[in-house]
Amino acid sequence: KYNEMMFNPVGSLVGAGIKTFLLESSRVVSQQQGEKNYHVFYELLAGMDEEVLDRLMLDRDASYKLLHSSGAQPLVEGSPEANKLASQFEELKTALETFVSEDVQNE
């Protein structure tokens, strides 16, 4: 289950609810050949500043078991897909600023 909150354009809460979400355990531990999972991690690797990645001991070019065990390859920096994911990460950061300041996000 997860909480869903709806806000109006000025940021006031206008509705909320609880949604039931079925998490398929088979998709958590493995994916089909070439399938991606945990999309936010692809976005993070593509869009996060190099300094922050270093602090988190992450490498944009590394192959991580969680992300690449199904045969998916690490992103090629500057590729259209990497640029799209970096843009999506920026959108996520902007959305999070509704709840958490950018300074806190970067800590």
Side-chain angles (χ1 to χ4, degrees), residues 58-78:
L58 295 172
D59 181 350
R60 208 179 303 279
D61 301 320
S63 180
Y64 294 99
K65 184 175 182 179
L66 177 70
L67 302 178
H68 305 112
S69 62
S70 68
Q73 297 299 312
L75 293 170
V76 175
E77 195 167 346

Side-chain angles (χ1 to χ4, degrees), residues 18-31:
I18 297 174
K19 296 275 187 169
T20 300
F21 180 74
L22 176 61
L23 184 61
E24 300 175 44
S25 60
S26 63
R27 289 181 51 86
V28 173
V29 296
S30 65
Q31 299 85 43

Side-chain angles (χ1 to χ4, degrees), residues 9-68:
V10 295
S12 298
L13 182 65
V14 294
I18 297 174
K19 296 275 187 169
T20 300
F21 180 74
L22 176 61
L23 184 61
E24 300 175 44
S25 60
S26 63
R27 289 181 51 86
V28 173
V29 296
S30 65
Q31 299 85 43
Q32 295 291 327
Q33 186 66 26
E35 181 181 344
K36 292 182 178 179
N37 210 357
Y38 301 102
H39 295 275
V40 71
F41 292 121
Y42 290 95
E43 293 173 5
L44 180 145
L45 287 172
M48 190 165 275
D49 294 334
E50 199 66 43
E51 171 187 316
V52 179
L53 287 173
D54 287 344
R55 198 168 65 222
L56 296 173
M57 295 186 285
L58 295 172
D59 181 350
R60 208 179 303 279
D61 301 320
S63 180
Y64 294 99
K65 184 175 182 179
L66 177 70
L67 302 178
H68 305 112

